[in-house]
Amino acid sequence: MERPPSSSSSSSSSPNEEEEDLRNLLDESDSQIDAAEQRPPPTFDVESLRSRLRRSFFKLNLTKRQCIVIFLPLLLVLVYLSTDLTNYFSSDKVPDSVFRPNHAPEESDLRALYLLRKQETDLSSLWNRTLSVSDMKSALFREMSLNRQIQNALLSPHKAESLGLYGGGSCRRVEQKLLKRKTIQWKPRRDKFLFAICLSGQMSNHLICLEKHMFFAALLKRTLVIPSHRFDYHYSRIIDIDRINTCLGRKVVVSFEEFWKSRKKHHHVHIDRFICYFSKPEACYVDKEHIAKLKGLGISIGGKVDSPWEEEDIAKPSNKTAEEVERSFRSDDDVIAIGDVFYANVEREWVMQPGGPLAHKCKTLVEPNRLILLTAQRFIQTFLGRNYVALHFRRHGFLKFCNAKNPSCFYPIPQAAHCIARLVEKVDAPVVYLSTDAAESETGLLQLLLIINGKTVPFVKRPPRDSAEKWDALLYRHGLEGDSQVEAMLDKTICAMSSVFIGASGSTFTEDILRLRKDWGTASVCDEYLCQNEQPNFIADHE
């Protein structure tokens, strides 16, 4: 075997000095890379490669350990370049089109490709060089640093994807079990109607009441009559009524106008029986004013207003079964009215399951109309992006309401900011969509205190209409702009589509958002009420 040349060869460094340099090889800082000697790559010469490498080996007098230190990184680089890393990031469960709808290369992919080509050029230049220890160190450091850049470029989109299909950090989506739903068929009898009476609270209460009426109508095999906007809210501006029939595959709901036309052939519109669900504190939650409004629509009411239960109190609603409802409200009359069922507690687990208790082919029956849904999507694309936290920050009238509860649900601004920041940091969201009725003084302080890692996380609210912005053009063109109920439903829709939602405990506005998230499949394991499981750190005395 040929012996290495002695120390008197052309190498100017002694073996001891070379060994010392090699020991310190991996301790050099990356700053040496930029200062390293740059040499133009000569023509690649395979025939001379063996002799040059052999001379370099002999000159360095390398031990096995030193060879490993020098050439193992280069070997890893070559393995890295020859491996199809895309297979490591592929998934049989999630198609690539979910993340890249147009199959266009990501910016990170293009950067990785540029760096790989640069590394290929650098490695080619190394083949034809006679390298000193200093050159070897610089080259290795340079390639190791470049390799880290390539890894980061390749992994960056997958780090984001590992946060979940819709963003949200470690806050994955709640798994839906739609196949295990307990449902009933809604097949109305011919010319049998249920007139919905929903009077308690604001729009969110009425929507919840309307959903319960749909359940009652299915149990009683009746077509549900949506109330007139002259008696109740303008439902057709808020929800898609025709879509309910499409989802069921038959006519199960009619507008008041349709009902009116169908009954006019009988020369009058008459409610044959008016049944109250609750008997306390007052029958049906219906006062003389609302009775007068019904009569003002040309509707006559037969008989007296009564309740099948003597002791059903709104303050303490009892649990009722579907069989009890069928038995207590069964009637052969053509038109009956039942009200108000917002507080009714009937088959709660059945009613609250994703998709609701009725058999249908949609995700949910009661959802925003198409114009509101599209406007929400356009707003998200304009201002929020895929990953954002939505916050319903209820304040108006909530101080007294919450302090009457135990524990209270009204939190001081600094404590609220801390709770919000904790969840936003977990989600790693860049913005927070704010739906609130709070005064500017409160939201301004909340914004100042929402700081994570030294940076303020901005609140985003729907801005006033600006003709230069087109995200809300659909509402403007269809005459829905400025309608407070349309704007409230728009807020709900934006919140329902967020990565994570923070709600207000005790608010039906929040509960309707949670219903949409549950039914749409956007609910997150991190959804929670503001400062959930905490008590306010200060509570005012009662009056």
Side-chain angles (χ1 to χ4, degrees):
M1 179 175 179
E2 187 177 357
R3 303 283 298 176
S6 66
S7 59
S8 61
S9 66
S10 60
S11 175
S12 61
S13 301
S14 68
N16 290 337
E17 290 173 341
E18 292 174 355
E19 291 176 3
E20 182 65 20
D21 286 335
L22 288 169
R23 290 192 195 98
N24 297 327
L25 180 62
L26 297 179
D27 296 329
E28 296 286 345
S29 67
D30 287 341
S31 63
Q32 290 178 290
I33 297 173
D34 294 332
E37 179 181 352
Q38 303 292 325
R39 298 182 181 179
T43 304
F44 184 70
D45 186 355
V46 177
E47 292 299 325
S48 62
L49 176 62
R50 295 189 182 89
S51 60
R52 293 190 183 194
L53 286 177
R54 188 180 298 113
R55 287 197 300 271
S56 297
F57 278 126
F58 295 159
K59 290 176 184 178
L60 290 175
N61 193 23
L62 299 178
T63 65
K64 289 183 179 180
R65 177 178 174 277
Q66 291 165 349
C67 288
I68 291 174
V69 169
I70 293 176
F71 292 105
L72 182 58
L74 279 177
L75 178 61
L76 292 176
V77 169
L78 292 173
V79 172
Y80 177 85
L81 290 174
S82 62
T83 303
D84 183 8
L85 290 178
T86 58
N87 291 332
Y88 291 100
F89 301 112
S90 63
S91 170
D92 294 333
K93 296 182 179 179
V94 184
D96 188 63
S97 58
V98 172
F99 302 110
R100 300 173 189 173
N102 298 319
H103 300 279
E106 297 277 2
E107 180 182 352
S108 57
D109 295 336
L110 297 175
R111 173 165 174 75
L113 181 61
Y114 164 77
L115 293 173
L116 282 169
R117 287 176 176 172
K118 184 177 186 303
Q119 188 173 59
E120 180 184 20
T121 301
D122 291 347
L123 290 173
S124 296
S125 70
L126 292 177
W127 285 111
N128 280 332
R129 288 190 188 180
T130 301
L131 299 175
S132 66
V133 172
S134 178
D135 291 337
M136 180 66 75
K137 288 190 295 181
S138 297
L140 286 176
F141 282 129
R142 185 165 56 251
E143 297 312 314
M144 291 166 64
S145 177
L146 192 58
N147 185 269
R148 285 196 296 271
Q149 294 179 53
I150 296 171
Q151 291 182 52
N152 290 334
L154 287 171
L155 290 174
S156 60
H158 301 286
K159 289 177 181 177
E161 289 166 10
S162 68
L163 300 179
L165 290 178
Y166 302 91
S170 59
C171 300
R172 69 182 186 280
R173 291 287 182 245
V174 174
E175 182 181 356
Q176 301 286 23
K177 299 179 180 179
L178 298 179
L179 296 179
K180 298 181 179 179
R181 287 176 60 222
K182 179 183 179 182
T183 61
I184 62 168
Q185 296 290 330
W186 186 358
K187 296 182 178 181
R189 293 173 290 167
R190 183 179 176 81
D191 291 331
K192 300 297 181 183
F193 297 93
L194 171 61
F195 198 96
I197 302 292
C198 297
L199 303 175
S200 59
Q202 299 183 16
M203 172 58 89
S204 295
N205 297 45
H206 287 225
L207 289 176
I208 294 172
C209 173
L210 197 63
E211 279 194 286
K212 292 183 179 181
H213 268 297
M214 291 166 60
F215 186 37
F216 276 48
L219 291 173
L220 301 173
K221 296 180 172 58
R222 290 178 174 271
T223 299
L224 183 67
V225 180
I226 304 297
S228 167
H229 66 275
R230 291 182 287 167
F231 178 75
D232 201 337
Y233 287 109
H234 208 317
Y235 288 102
S236 61
R237 295 168 68 92
I238 309 301
I239 61 175
D240 194 337
I241 296 174
D242 290 335
R243 180 180 169 279
I244 298 173
N245 293 321
T246 301
C247 291
L248 270 295
R250 64 184 69 90
K251 194 79 168 181
V252 294
V253 297
V254 295
S255 66
F256 176 79
E257 290 72 24
E258 289 179 270
F259 169 71
W260 175 272
K261 290 177 181 178
S262 68
R263 302 306 294 177
K264 281 296 286 184
K265 63 184 179 182
H266 298 287
H267 307 295
H268 70 285
V269 179
H270 184 71
I271 294 178
D272 300 303
R273 186 182 178 195
F274 203 130
I275 312 171
C276 299
Y277 188 90
F278 291 97
S279 54
K280 294 181 179 181
E282 56 183 334
C284 291
Y285 226 66
V286 178
D287 53 22
K288 293 181 179 179
E289 179 184 354
H290 286 97
I291 295 293
K293 283 185 177 181
L294 281 175
K295 292 180 178 179
L297 293 173
I299 300 175
S300 59
I301 301 175
K304 67 175 184 177
V305 177
D306 63 352
S307 172
W309 299 302
E310 294 182 0
E311 296 295 327
E312 189 65 16
D313 193 339
I314 284 178
K316 295 180 180 179
S318 58
N319 297 324
K320 301 293 184 182
T321 65
E323 290 75 17
E324 287 178 293
V325 170
E326 289 184 69
R327 183 172 60 251
S328 300
F329 294 92
R330 184 182 295 119
S331 173
D332 290 328
D333 294 309
D334 289 343
V335 183
I336 67 172
I338 301 177
D340 180 319
V341 299
F342 169 71
Y343 294 100
N345 189 3
V346 179
E347 303 285 5
R348 179 173 176 78
E349 291 187 5
W350 194 0
V351 171
M352 294 300 293
Q353 64 185 336
L358 305 178
H360 59 85
K361 59 183 179 181
C362 302
K363 288 184 177 181
T364 185
L365 289 178
V366 179
E367 73 173 26
N369 70 39
R370 184 66 176 168
L371 295 176
I372 294 176
L373 189 60
L374 287 173
T375 301
Q377 292 175 349
R378 291 180 177 186
F379 180 87
I380 293 170
Q381 183 176 359
T382 303
F383 295 101
L384 301 173
R386 183 176 66 174
N387 185 27
Y388 65 97
V389 170
L391 168 65
H392 175 218
F393 192 55
R394 173 73 185 272
R395 300 296 273 186
H396 182 70
F398 235 42
L399 177 58
K400 186 175 181 179
F401 170 81
C402 282
N403 282 358
K405 300 171 66 176
N406 185 22
S408 173
C409 53
F410 194 89
Y411 297 89
I413 294 294
Q415 184 179 0
H418 177 73
C419 295
I420 297 166
R422 185 173 57 212
L423 187 54
V424 172
E425 185 175 22
K426 184 177 183 181
V427 178
D428 194 26
V431 294
V432 174
Y433 178 71
L434 180 62
S435 173
T436 186
D437 57 3
E440 189 65 32
S441 58
E442 293 183 75
T443 58
L445 178 58
L446 188 65
Q447 177 68 92
L448 288 174
L449 295 174
L450 190 59
I451 299 174
I452 299 176
N453 297 325
K455 296 182 179 180
T456 300
V457 180
F459 284 139
V460 178
K461 294 192 290 185
R462 284 184 298 103
R465 171 160 176 76
D466 187 334
S467 59
E469 297 176 354
K470 301 302 180 183
W471 64 270
D472 58 349
L474 288 174
L475 300 184
Y476 177 75
R477 290 204 305 264
H478 290 82
L480 298 177
E481 182 199 14
D483 186 316
S484 61
Q485 300 308 322
V486 170
E487 292 179 349
M489 182 57 80
L490 179 58
D491 257 9
K492 284 184 183 180
T493 309
I494 296 171
C495 289
M497 298 173 75
S498 63
S499 299
V500 170
F501 173 63
I502 304 173
S505 176
S507 166
T508 53
F509 189 93
T510 281
E511 295 306 315
D512 204 32
I513 293 170
L514 292 174
R515 174 190 66 82
L516 284 173
R517 291 177 65 78
K518 166 174 59 68
D519 291 353
W520 282 347
T522 58
S524 165
V525 295
C526 295
D527 289 352
E528 63 179 40
Y529 298 116
L530 179 64
C531 296
Q532 188 166 310
N533 300 322
E534 289 187 29
Q535 293 193 19
N537 57 33
F538 186 89
I539 301 176
D541 293 335
H542 294 292
E543 296 179 4

